[in-house]
Amino acid sequence: MIDFSLTDEQKALQEMAHEFAEKEMRPNAAKYDKGEEFAWDVINKAFEVGLITCELPEELGGGGLSHLDAVILSEELAWGCAGMYTTIMASSLAFTPIMLFGTDEQKKKFLTPFTEKSSLAAFCLTEREAGSDAGSLKTKAIKDGDEYVINGSKCFVTNGGVAELMSVFALTDPGKGTRGMSAFVVPADTPGIVIGKEEDKMGHRASNTCELFFEDVRVPAENLLAKEGMGFIIAMRTLDCTRAPVGAGGVGVARAAMEHAIEYARTRIQFGKPIALFQDISFRIAQMAAEINAARFMVWNAAWRLDNGLPVGKESAMAKFYASDIGMKTTNSALEIFGGYGYMKDYPMEKLMRDAKLLQIYEGTNSIQRMVVSREVIGPIKK
Ligand code: COS
């Protein structure tokens, strides 16, 4: 059976997230974008209404939302401000390895504090020499008695400078490639963690992106997730879960751009009539509406598959690349409808376009998503 309708609970959730985005995020978006200041006041309010921990299990004090619920919510938050949405989404990204692979004790110990006070987490995988090729990282975690000693560095860490807890990927057996990688939960105040440069980004400027250094960082052996050597699988399984929400971000940004373009096209008079009456403009808007709809259904499909325990690697990669490409395409087309005004910072279009770009890059570039999809669709080929 196929059912595209939302439940009453999902509609209420969507409404709540939309109201939050409209009242708390949008009015502050330009300020934080301009100053590249971290939006703690908005994040604290998001915590109060349960948006930061909505995906954590109810028994830990979280909202217990399904993946489908989460993407419905993500679309609204990205509609409000992509930078603030990224802050919230990156925390969920860091929770995910613990939710998927943590023991009950680890979940209780590391995740419950997030439901008690406003705080954030960071996912630490990428390194300077290990971006798309996540399996080639160099950070090491060497066992020493009951502890692991972590040495190395991470870059482009969202929430890196503001997080209280980190999910860190490191080599426990450097000779074994991806099978020598392990995942650890590391409190951010552990001695030896040094916060490096904060990146000055093109978009998502309300979010914090930092370099991190790990200098003889000692973590208890019980902070290892699953078993030694499981790190790469943990990272890949995590990303399978979190790529649909990035797609939802693309849908939210695209929808915001389309709505602004419609409002402008209905009221902007040129050649004696609203420009929405010109075929080029109206067909562009029709195209946006169709593509946003298609992208949303791909995102919902990936989330639904996750909720139903179905294989999702291909579908979440497709949803991520398609929806974020539509985010970019739509913001570009909507900006053109605004003409010269679209290029000016007094209007919302240029921020939306800058924000759309990052969704095509982070959590695996869209080329990597196409690689994941093509490997599965084409299958193994003998060389
Ligand atoms: N679920 C479970 N296992 C997976 C998996 C998944 N989604 N994807 C890969 N694996 C397993 C493979 O089955 C393989 O297992 P074996 O060693 O038993 O054969 C192992 O992991 C290595 O997989 P693969 O050979 O496919 O690894 P590659 O080095 O070719 O890399 C890609 C695979 C490109 C998919 C991976 O490096 C990737 O996702 N890169 C992007 C990283 C990224 O998204 N970074 C952003 C970080 S968050 S801001």
Side-chain angles (χ1 to χ4, degrees):
M1 193 180 89
I2 294 179
D3 183 355
F4 292 102
S5 57
L6 300 183
T7 63
D8 287 345
E9 289 79 25
Q10 285 167 334
K11 282 183 202 152
L13 183 78
Q14 191 177 40
E15 224 167 89
M16 180 277 281
H18 186 77
E19 202 178 306
F20 185 84
E22 193 165 38
K23 294 206 174 121
E24 307 293 347
M25 297 171 108
R26 278 220 170 161
N28 290 303
K31 178 178 88 178
Y32 287 111
D33 177 61
K34 196 166 181 199
E36 200 166 31
E37 190 191 330
F38 193 71
W40 266 124
D41 57 342
V42 181
I43 296 305
N44 289 339
K45 285 182 186 162
F47 169 76
E48 280 162 28
V49 297
L51 286 166
I52 311 277
T53 53
C54 57
E55 287 177 73
L56 296 183
E58 280 174 339
E59 58 272 21
L60 300 180
L65 293 193
S66 68
H67 292 282
L68 184 54
D69 298 337
V71 293
I72 291 167
L73 196 142
S74 292
E75 179 182 332
E76 299 310 315
L77 299 184
W79 176 93
C81 171
M84 296 172 199
Y85 143 84
T86 283
T87 300
I88 296 171
M89 197 259 310
S91 221
S92 291
L93 168 67
F95 296 153
T96 304
I98 309 171
M99 289 205 285
L100 289 178
F101 291 91
T103 59
D104 288 346
E105 211 181 326
Q106 285 174 323
K107 287 181 202 169
K108 196 163 169 221
K109 178 173 175 191
F110 296 122
L111 298 176
T112 310
F114 288 95
T115 66
E116 290 164 351
K117 84 177 225 296
S118 178
S119 44
L120 297 164
F123 182 80
C124 307
L125 175 67
T126 302
E127 299 180 2
R128 291 220 165 264
E129 307 300 328
S132 291
D133 184 7
S136 69
L137 55 81
K138 302 267 185 312
T139 296
K140 291 185 185 62
I142 303 303
K143 190 109 188 258
D144 181 25
D146 290 342
E147 294 177 322
Y148 285 90
V149 185
I150 306 179
N151 276 289
S153 64
K154 299 285 171 182
C155 66
F156 303 146
V157 182
T158 306
N159 294 340
V162 292
E164 299 216 350
L165 195 76
M166 297 165 177
S167 300
V168 180
F169 295 82
L171 297 175
T172 41
D173 196 340
K176 281 197 180 164
T178 53
R179 290 182 182 207
M181 194 190 292
S182 302
F184 297 89
V185 185
V186 184
D189 59 0
T190 310
I193 297 180
V194 178
I195 300 169
K197 172 167 93 81
E198 184 181 345
E199 302 295 346
D200 184 4
K201 304 187 294 295
M202 171 180 166
H204 295 236
R205 290 171 60 81
S207 70
N208 169 278
T209 311
C210 282
E211 194 167 22
L212 291 176
F213 298 94
F214 295 80
E215 295 168 0
D216 289 328
V217 174
R218 288 185 167 267
V219 292
E222 66 250 28
N223 289 26
L224 172 73
L225 289 174
K227 289 192 300 200
E228 274 193 21
M230 282 287 288
F232 193 72
I233 305 282
I234 294 175
M236 293 300 111
R237 290 275 310 279
T238 295
L239 293 168
D240 283 347
C241 292
T242 57
R243 282 174 177 159
V246 177
V251 176
V253 169
R255 203 182 95 213
M258 179 180 74
E259 288 172 7
H260 285 301
I262 291 171
E263 199 187 326
Y264 185 80
R266 289 174 65 90
T267 51
R268 170 75 171 164
I269 309 290
Q270 288 292 274
F271 304 102
K273 58 183 181 182
I275 61 169
L277 293 175
F278 290 98
Q279 193 181 60
D280 175 54
I281 304 294
S282 61
F283 279 18
R284 274 173 189 258
I285 291 170
Q287 188 72 23
M288 290 176 197
E291 288 170 344
I292 289 170
N293 226 25
R296 181 181 296 117
F297 286 144
M298 287 177 77
V299 168
W300 285 10
N301 176 52
W304 176 86
R305 291 181 73 87
L306 275 167
D307 287 331
N308 286 281
L310 297 168
V312 73
K314 177 181 67 170
E315 287 77 8
S316 57
M318 278 179 181
K320 195 271 183 187
F321 85 67
Y322 184 77
S324 58
D325 282 353
I326 291 308
M328 197 65 229
K329 187 178 171 195
T330 305
T331 53
N332 184 44
S333 191
L335 187 146
E336 286 174 6
I337 290 177
F338 274 72
Y341 294 110
Y343 204 68
M344 303 302 152
K345 284 189 181 286
D346 290 342
Y347 289 79
M349 298 313 307
E350 62 83 36
K351 174 181 184 299
L352 287 166
M353 195 169 162
R354 286 188 280 112
D355 286 344
K357 192 68 217 170
L358 185 56
L359 299 168
Q360 293 179 303
I361 298 170
Y362 71 15
E363 289 204 39
T365 64
N366 282 2
S367 297
I368 286 295
Q369 310 307 322
R370 286 180 171 87
M371 185 169 140
V372 171
V373 173
S374 62
R375 277 181 181 182
E376 197 176 323
V377 173
I378 299 169
I381 302 172
K382 273 191 192 158
K383 284 180 196 153

